[in-house]
Amino acid sequence: MSSPRLQVLGCSGSIAAGSRTTAFLLDDSVLIDAGTGVGDLALDAMARIDDILVSHSHLDHVLAIPLLADSVMKLRLAQPHRGPIRVHALPETLDALRAHLFNGLLWPDFTSIPSPARPILKLEPFAVGDTLSFGAGPQQRRVKVLPAAHTVPACGFAVETPAGWWVYSGDTGANPALWAALKGKRIAHLIIETAFGDDERWLADLSGHLAPSSLAAELAQLDGSVPVHITHPKPGEVAAVVAQIRAIDTAHRVEPLVKGLVFEF
Ligand SMILES: [Zn+2]
Ligand SMILES: [Zn+2]
């Protein structure tokens, strides 16, 4: 296996100057979540994306899909051998995208544009526990679909690397199924959300997110010490959230995830 490259395009819980919502680029053709970070890619980089993995239907993770489809359609249709961009998600997530986004009201139905026979987007369901495969030969990538516990059906992802699994929790509250799924696996990096500070722990609990004190209870279930990267705090709250985590959890190396960071293995 050649070494994958994972670039953080966005890791904020919302937007402000310099803050972009969740998106990761695996090598140059697989997008993991499609938040506003995608909008910082050059047009030709956007046009290289063949697959989009979506953790759940919330706007901060999907809103670049319809705009990306619009941006790259002309370039993409000039290369008909590449076929449609495949959007992979849980069936419930794909249903939500069909019903509420690609419905001809909020946005045109790019799953049948420019024609139903040759659309720019194709929706492909997966299930938690599946292992997806992208590319071929030494460039082949394996991505495992992990469980998540959020207010809507949701998942996380683990990308296989020579150094172990690069794990992304997705949006989640307390998630015992995740730790069961990771049991015995070598983890190279854990990207886990902490959407709120402990002053808003009640809101985190209500909205299927983690706060520093609930994150600490999750990390206590990890085997050994792994590099932990915090994603999804709101703009302006990153430093406070990370300081609260470090005050509770001294067993792990905890860093805020940073837009632009590139993981190489
Ligand atoms: Zn969410
Ligand atoms: Zn989110």
Side-chain angles (χ1 to χ4, degrees):
M1 175 179 31
S2 67
S3 189
R5 180 180 192 275
L6 274 146
Q7 183 183 356
V8 181
L9 303 178
C11 53
S12 178
S14 197
I15 58 165
S19 295
R20 304 284 187 274
T21 71
T22 310
F24 304 98
L25 187 61
L26 168 57
D27 298 326
D28 57 3
S29 62
V30 179
L31 194 60
I32 299 177
D33 272 342
T36 64
V38 177
D40 289 338
L41 287 173
L43 182 61
D44 61 337
M46 265 187 218
R48 283 195 284 273
I49 293 167
D50 287 319
D51 294 278
I52 304 176
L53 278 59
V54 182
S55 66
H56 66 299
S57 57
H58 281 158
L59 201 57
D60 55 318
H61 299 254
V62 304
L63 67 77
I65 302 173
L67 299 171
L68 178 142
D70 197 14
S71 293
V72 304
M73 188 156 78
K74 195 169 180 183
L75 288 174
R76 186 102 196 170
L77 293 177
Q79 304 169 287
H81 62 281
R82 292 178 64 200
I85 300 166
R86 297 170 290 270
V87 178
H88 310 262
L90 297 170
E92 298 90 336
T93 305
L94 297 178
D95 286 347
L97 292 177
R98 267 188 219 99
H100 303 296
L101 185 49
F102 297 110
N103 59 7
L105 293 171
L106 210 57
W107 203 245
D109 179 10
F110 275 87
T111 64
S112 60
I113 289 175
S115 71
R118 273 186 63 201
I120 187 69
L121 293 181
K122 185 165 180 250
L123 307 184
E124 298 200 343
F126 59 53
V128 170
D130 283 358
T131 300
L132 313 173
S133 181
F134 303 98
Q139 286 294 322
Q140 190 188 38
R141 303 298 177 220
R142 293 204 311 150
V143 181
K144 248 185 114 51
V145 182
L146 299 171
H150 199 36
T151 53
V152 293
C155 65
F157 299 105
V159 178
E160 190 179 34
T161 86
W165 293 87
W166 178 94
V167 175
Y168 160 52
S169 69
D171 283 13
T172 191
N175 188 6
L178 173 66
W179 310 115
L182 294 176
K183 196 115 207 118
K185 283 200 161 54
R186 186 166 150 231
I187 301 173
H189 292 275
L190 172 64
I191 285 76
I192 188 163
E193 74 123 280
T194 309
F196 295 98
D198 268 332
D199 52 319
E200 292 184 302
R201 165 79 194 258
W202 64 274
L203 191 51
D205 291 348
L206 207 66
S207 58
H209 284 293
L210 294 170
S213 52
S214 42
L215 174 78
E218 294 301 295
L219 295 182
Q221 300 170 62
L222 254 180
D223 293 334
S225 179
V226 304
V228 175
H229 308 264
I230 302 302
T231 187
H232 216 296
K234 304 277 186 234
E237 298 193 18
V238 179
V241 165
V242 171
Q244 288 172 20
I245 295 167
R246 285 179 177 156
I248 305 169
D249 182 310
T250 51
H252 300 94
R253 272 189 291 142
V254 175
E255 298 289 340
L257 195 60
V258 183
K259 172 179 158 56
L261 180 68
V262 176
F263 290 92
E264 283 170 307
F265 304 90

